[in-house]
């Protein structure tokens, strides 16, 4: 029924600032911008990670009025190799810690932040992620 994440979208009042922050954090430029595609400013998209998932950032002026401007109730956790270092990096880029580094059991560590634009980002060391990656021929 839900075979995989296609795109995770974040919202930002200041799209250029959000693009700069995520370019710095991710170490890659967006592969798509609505402006470069001739559609005007409003959306950028990165391909990131082992599976090249799409991370989009949308200008908040295009958000449905029913969406709250503050942090939402769903947290997507991105696998990282070092949760503490990634948490420190996110905070150094202007995010505010939401959940401190938390041991969830053997091979599972989480933390989360709210980025400067009000989006919740979860980070996690997840041994199951690495198992699946290894079974598909990926290596870390």
């Amino acid at each position: 029924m839900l075979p995989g994440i296609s795109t995770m979208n974040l919202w930002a009042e200041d799209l250029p600032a959000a693009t700069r922050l995520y370019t710095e954090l991710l170490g890659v430029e967006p592969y798509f911008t609505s402006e470069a595609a001739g559609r005007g400013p409003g959306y950028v998209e990165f391909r990131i990670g082992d599976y090249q998932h799409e991370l989009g950032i949308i200008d908040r002026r295009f958000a449905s009025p029913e969406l709250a401007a503050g942090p939402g109730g769903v947290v997507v956790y991105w696998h990282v190799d070092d949760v503490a270092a990634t948490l420190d990096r996110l905070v150094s880029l202007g995010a505010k810690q939401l959940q401190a580094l938390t041991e969830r059991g053997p091979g599972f560590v989480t933390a989360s932040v709210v980025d400067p634009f009000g989006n919740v980002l979860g980070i996690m060391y997840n041994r199951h992620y690495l198992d699946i990656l290894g079974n598909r021929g990926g290596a870390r």
Side-chain angles (χ1 to χ4, degrees), residues 79-103:
H79 174 82
V80 297
D81 293 327
D82 185 332
V83 176
T86 304
L87 179 60
D88 288 345
R89 176 109 167 100
L90 285 162
V91 169
S92 77
L93 290 170
K96 293 191 180 3
Q97 181 177 296
L98 181 64
Q99 177 195 55
L101 189 120
T102 304
E103 295 278 341

Side-chain angles (χ1 to χ4, degrees), residues 105-130:
F108 302 96
V109 180
T110 65
S112 62
V113 299
V114 177
D115 76 8
F117 314 99
N119 300 290
V120 176
L121 238 89
I123 54 175
M124 177 181 212
Y125 180 86
N126 182 326
R127 64 186 174 101
H128 290 162
Y129 178 91
L130 294 174

